Short mmCIF file of all heavy atoms in Angstrom, two decimals:
data_model
loop_
_atom_site.label_atom_id
_atom_site.label_comp_id
_atom_site.label_asym_id
_atom_site.label_seq_id
_atom_site.Cartn_x
_atom_site.Cartn_y
_atom_site.Cartn_z
N PRO A 20 -4.41 2.14 4.81
CA PRO A 20 -4.95 3.28 4.05
C PRO A 20 -4.94 4.60 4.81
O PRO A 20 -5.07 5.65 4.19
CB PRO A 20 -6.39 2.83 3.74
CG PRO A 20 -6.73 1.85 4.81
CD PRO A 20 -5.44 1.13 5.08
N HIS A 21 -4.79 4.55 6.13
CA HIS A 21 -4.78 5.83 6.87
C HIS A 21 -3.51 6.62 6.58
O HIS A 21 -3.51 7.84 6.68
CB HIS A 21 -4.91 5.58 8.38
CG HIS A 21 -3.61 5.31 9.07
ND1 HIS A 21 -3.02 4.06 9.09
CD2 HIS A 21 -2.76 6.13 9.74
CE1 HIS A 21 -1.88 4.13 9.75
NE2 HIS A 21 -1.70 5.36 10.16
N ASN A 22 -2.43 5.92 6.23
CA ASN A 22 -1.16 6.59 5.94
C ASN A 22 -0.90 6.48 4.44
O ASN A 22 -0.17 5.61 3.96
CB ASN A 22 -0.01 5.96 6.73
CG ASN A 22 1.25 6.81 6.72
OD1 ASN A 22 1.56 7.47 5.72
ND2 ASN A 22 1.97 6.82 7.82
N TRP A 23 -1.54 7.39 3.69
CA TRP A 23 -1.48 7.30 2.23
C TRP A 23 -0.08 7.55 1.69
O TRP A 23 0.31 6.98 0.65
CB TRP A 23 -2.48 8.26 1.59
CG TRP A 23 -2.27 9.71 1.91
CD1 TRP A 23 -2.82 10.42 2.94
CD2 TRP A 23 -1.44 10.62 1.19
NE1 TRP A 23 -2.38 11.71 2.91
CE2 TRP A 23 -1.54 11.88 1.85
CE3 TRP A 23 -0.63 10.51 0.06
CZ2 TRP A 23 -0.85 13.00 1.41
CZ3 TRP A 23 0.06 11.64 -0.37
CH2 TRP A 23 -0.05 12.86 0.29
N ARG A 24 0.70 8.39 2.35
CA ARG A 24 2.06 8.63 1.87
C ARG A 24 2.90 7.35 1.93
O ARG A 24 3.63 7.02 0.99
CB ARG A 24 2.74 9.73 2.70
CG ARG A 24 2.24 11.13 2.43
CD ARG A 24 3.07 12.16 3.19
NE ARG A 24 2.58 13.52 2.98
CZ ARG A 24 2.94 14.30 1.97
NH1 ARG A 24 3.77 13.84 1.06
NH2 ARG A 24 2.46 15.52 1.87
N ASP A 25 2.79 6.65 3.03
CA ASP A 25 3.53 5.40 3.20
C ASP A 25 3.05 4.36 2.19
O ASP A 25 3.86 3.67 1.55
CB ASP A 25 3.32 4.88 4.64
CG ASP A 25 4.10 3.62 4.94
OD1 ASP A 25 5.35 3.71 5.06
OD2 ASP A 25 3.49 2.54 5.04
N LEU A 26 1.74 4.28 1.99
CA LEU A 26 1.18 3.29 1.05
C LEU A 26 1.63 3.58 -0.38
O LEU A 26 2.09 2.68 -1.09
CB LEU A 26 -0.35 3.29 1.15
CG LEU A 26 -1.10 2.18 0.42
CD1 LEU A 26 -2.45 1.93 1.09
CD2 LEU A 26 -1.32 2.48 -1.06
N ILE A 27 1.49 4.81 -0.81
CA ILE A 27 1.84 5.16 -2.19
C ILE A 27 3.34 4.98 -2.43
O ILE A 27 3.77 4.48 -3.48
CB ILE A 27 1.38 6.59 -2.53
CG1 ILE A 27 -0.15 6.63 -2.59
CG2 ILE A 27 1.99 7.07 -3.84
CD1 ILE A 27 -0.72 8.01 -2.81
N SER A 28 4.15 5.36 -1.45
CA SER A 28 5.60 5.18 -1.58
C SER A 28 5.96 3.72 -1.77
O SER A 28 6.79 3.37 -2.63
CB SER A 28 6.30 5.73 -0.33
OG SER A 28 7.68 5.43 -0.35
N LYS A 29 5.33 2.85 -1.01
CA LYS A 29 5.62 1.42 -1.11
C LYS A 29 5.13 0.84 -2.44
O LYS A 29 5.79 -0.01 -3.04
CB LYS A 29 5.01 0.68 0.08
CG LYS A 29 5.76 0.94 1.39
CD LYS A 29 5.03 0.39 2.59
CE LYS A 29 5.85 0.61 3.87
NZ LYS A 29 5.11 0.23 5.09
N CYS A 30 3.98 1.30 -2.89
CA CYS A 30 3.48 0.81 -4.18
C CYS A 30 4.32 1.31 -5.34
O CYS A 30 4.49 0.61 -6.35
CB CYS A 30 2.01 1.20 -4.36
SG CYS A 30 0.90 0.28 -3.27
N GLU A 31 4.87 2.52 -5.24
CA GLU A 31 5.82 3.00 -6.24
C GLU A 31 6.99 2.02 -6.36
O GLU A 31 7.41 1.65 -7.45
CB GLU A 31 6.35 4.38 -5.86
CG GLU A 31 5.36 5.52 -6.05
CD GLU A 31 5.92 6.85 -5.55
OE1 GLU A 31 7.07 6.88 -5.07
OE2 GLU A 31 5.20 7.86 -5.63
N LYS A 32 7.52 1.62 -5.21
CA LYS A 32 8.64 0.67 -5.20
C LYS A 32 8.20 -0.68 -5.77
O LYS A 32 8.94 -1.31 -6.52
CB LYS A 32 9.15 0.49 -3.77
CG LYS A 32 9.84 1.70 -3.18
CD LYS A 32 10.34 1.40 -1.77
CE LYS A 32 11.02 2.60 -1.14
NZ LYS A 32 11.52 2.29 0.23
N GLY A 33 6.99 -1.10 -5.39
CA GLY A 33 6.50 -2.39 -5.88
C GLY A 33 6.35 -2.44 -7.39
O GLY A 33 6.75 -3.40 -8.04
N PHE A 34 5.78 -1.38 -7.95
CA PHE A 34 5.61 -1.33 -9.41
C PHE A 34 6.94 -1.31 -10.14
O PHE A 34 7.05 -1.82 -11.26
CB PHE A 34 4.79 -0.10 -9.80
CG PHE A 34 3.30 -0.30 -9.77
CD1 PHE A 34 2.49 0.55 -9.04
CD2 PHE A 34 2.71 -1.32 -10.49
CE1 PHE A 34 1.10 0.38 -9.02
CE2 PHE A 34 1.33 -1.50 -10.48
CZ PHE A 34 0.52 -0.65 -9.74
N GLU A 35 7.96 -0.70 -9.55
CA GLU A 35 9.22 -0.49 -10.25
C GLU A 35 10.35 -1.41 -9.78
O GLU A 35 11.50 -1.20 -10.14
CB GLU A 35 9.67 0.97 -10.07
CG GLU A 35 8.67 1.99 -10.61
CD GLU A 35 8.32 1.77 -12.08
OE1 GLU A 35 9.23 1.40 -12.86
OE2 GLU A 35 7.14 1.95 -12.44
N CYS A 36 10.04 -2.44 -9.02
CA CYS A 36 11.10 -3.30 -8.47
C CYS A 36 11.70 -4.27 -9.49
O CYS A 36 12.70 -4.92 -9.22
CB CYS A 36 10.59 -4.06 -7.24
SG CYS A 36 9.41 -5.37 -7.62
N GLY A 37 11.07 -4.39 -10.66
CA GLY A 37 11.62 -5.24 -11.71
C GLY A 37 11.24 -6.70 -11.62
O GLY A 37 11.71 -7.52 -12.41
N GLY A 38 10.40 -7.06 -10.67
CA GLY A 38 9.98 -8.44 -10.49
C GLY A 38 8.69 -8.48 -9.71
O GLY A 38 7.96 -7.49 -9.63
N PRO A 39 8.38 -9.62 -9.09
CA PRO A 39 7.14 -9.70 -8.31
C PRO A 39 7.20 -8.87 -7.05
O PRO A 39 8.25 -8.74 -6.41
CB PRO A 39 7.02 -11.20 -7.99
CG PRO A 39 8.41 -11.73 -8.09
CD PRO A 39 9.11 -10.91 -9.13
N ALA A 40 6.07 -8.28 -6.70
CA ALA A 40 5.94 -7.50 -5.47
C ALA A 40 4.64 -7.88 -4.79
O ALA A 40 3.67 -8.27 -5.45
CB ALA A 40 5.97 -6.01 -5.77
N PHE A 41 4.63 -7.76 -3.47
CA PHE A 41 3.44 -8.11 -2.69
C PHE A 41 3.15 -7.00 -1.70
O PHE A 41 4.02 -6.61 -0.92
CB PHE A 41 3.65 -9.43 -1.95
CG PHE A 41 2.47 -9.85 -1.10
CD1 PHE A 41 1.34 -10.38 -1.69
CD2 PHE A 41 2.52 -9.71 0.28
CE1 PHE A 41 0.25 -10.77 -0.91
CE2 PHE A 41 1.44 -10.10 1.06
CZ PHE A 41 0.30 -10.64 0.47
N ILE A 42 1.93 -6.48 -1.75
CA ILE A 42 1.49 -5.44 -0.82
C ILE A 42 0.32 -5.99 -0.01
O ILE A 42 -0.72 -6.35 -0.56
CB ILE A 42 1.03 -4.17 -1.57
CG1 ILE A 42 2.14 -3.62 -2.49
CG2 ILE A 42 0.56 -3.12 -0.58
CD1 ILE A 42 3.35 -3.07 -1.77
N ASN A 43 0.50 -6.07 1.30
CA ASN A 43 -0.56 -6.56 2.18
C ASN A 43 -1.15 -5.35 2.90
O ASN A 43 -0.47 -4.67 3.67
CB ASN A 43 0.01 -7.56 3.18
CG ASN A 43 -1.04 -8.54 3.67
OD1 ASN A 43 -2.23 -8.39 3.40
ND2 ASN A 43 -0.60 -9.55 4.41
N ALA A 44 -2.43 -5.06 2.62
CA ALA A 44 -3.08 -3.86 3.14
C ALA A 44 -4.16 -4.22 4.14
O ALA A 44 -5.07 -5.00 3.81
CB ALA A 44 -3.68 -3.05 1.99
N VAL A 45 -4.08 -3.67 5.35
CA VAL A 45 -5.18 -3.86 6.29
C VAL A 45 -6.39 -3.11 5.76
O VAL A 45 -6.29 -1.96 5.33
CB VAL A 45 -4.79 -3.39 7.72
CG1 VAL A 45 -4.54 -1.89 7.78
CG2 VAL A 45 -5.85 -3.81 8.72
N SER A 46 -7.55 -3.78 5.76
CA SER A 46 -8.74 -3.22 5.12
C SER A 46 -9.94 -3.35 6.05
O SER A 46 -10.71 -4.30 5.96
CB SER A 46 -9.00 -3.94 3.79
OG SER A 46 -10.08 -3.38 3.09
N PRO A 47 -10.09 -2.41 6.99
CA PRO A 47 -11.18 -2.50 7.95
C PRO A 47 -12.55 -2.66 7.30
O PRO A 47 -12.87 -1.98 6.32
CB PRO A 47 -11.09 -1.18 8.71
CG PRO A 47 -9.64 -0.80 8.62
CD PRO A 47 -9.23 -1.23 7.24
N CYS A 48 -13.36 -3.57 7.86
CA CYS A 48 -14.68 -3.88 7.32
C CYS A 48 -15.74 -3.57 8.38
O CYS A 48 -15.87 -4.31 9.36
CB CYS A 48 -14.74 -5.36 6.94
SG CYS A 48 -16.39 -5.93 6.43
N PRO A 49 -16.48 -2.48 8.22
CA PRO A 49 -17.49 -2.13 9.23
C PRO A 49 -18.49 -3.24 9.50
O PRO A 49 -18.87 -3.49 10.64
CB PRO A 49 -18.17 -0.91 8.62
CG PRO A 49 -17.17 -0.33 7.68
CD PRO A 49 -16.42 -1.50 7.13
N ARG A 50 -18.90 -3.94 8.46
CA ARG A 50 -19.92 -4.99 8.60
C ARG A 50 -19.37 -6.20 9.37
O ARG A 50 -20.02 -6.71 10.29
CB ARG A 50 -20.39 -5.43 7.19
CG ARG A 50 -21.42 -6.54 7.19
CD ARG A 50 -22.75 -6.09 7.75
NE ARG A 50 -23.69 -7.21 7.82
CZ ARG A 50 -23.78 -8.05 8.83
NH1 ARG A 50 -22.99 -7.92 9.89
NH2 ARG A 50 -24.66 -9.04 8.82
#
């Protein structure tokens, strides 16, 4: 999430790839 341009670009590709897509996002948890 720190690099929103990279994330959004990849999700654009994922939504439009014409088949299944997988996005693995590191999600820091303070707790």
